[in-house]
Amino acid sequence: MTEMSETELMLRGYGLTTAQLFYRMPDYKNVLNTFVWQEYDLAPDHPKLFGFIEFWQDTIEGPLHSVQYTHRKMLSSGEWQQIVGEFTVH
């Protein structure tokens, strides 16, 4: 299967999800660090975000402290219009 473009994802209902993950350093448990993750995802279930969180918990040594995220639907199928035009700049 080929990778969909950002426009195709938006027309299929995807929106941009940005998450800030706060995690503890493996060697310094009192130190919090942050990681920012961004991907097109489907609200309200956010399968890509939760998949990434599961990947983090299974693979990364720094245990998660908390996750803050926001989701913005950039475009919906009823809002997109193809406009063909031409203008001249002198």
Side-chain angles (χ1 to χ4, degrees):
M1 186 170 134
T2 62
E3 189 75 22
M4 286 189 276
S5 70
E6 291 179 4
T7 304
E8 290 173 317
L9 288 171
M10 287 187 280
L11 289 173
R12 292 176 186 240
Y14 284 74
L16 190 61
T17 300
T18 304
Q20 185 174 18
L21 293 88
F22 294 87
Y23 65 97
R24 297 195 184 277
M25 299 295 290
D27 296 335
Y28 303 97
K29 300 294 183 188
N30 294 329
V31 177
L32 282 179
N33 205 353
T34 62
F35 179 82
V36 176
W37 176 90
Q38 193 171 57
E39 186 70 52
Y40 285 95
D41 207 355
L42 287 169
D45 296 330
H46 299 287
K48 290 187 178 184
L49 174 59
F50 289 118
F52 180 74
I53 291 171
E54 287 177 14
F55 165 80
W56 184 290
Q57 292 173 329
D58 294 342
T59 310
I60 307 296
E61 289 184 24
L64 286 175
H65 174 270
S66 59
V67 177
Q68 294 178 345
Y69 71 94
T70 184
H71 179 83
R72 171 100 168 107
K73 195 168 183 182
M74 310 288 276
L75 180 71
S76 70
S77 59
E79 296 173 347
W80 187 78
Q81 297 176 349
Q82 179 179 6
I83 298 175
V84 177
E86 182 179 324
F87 62 91
T88 306
V89 177
H90 294 275

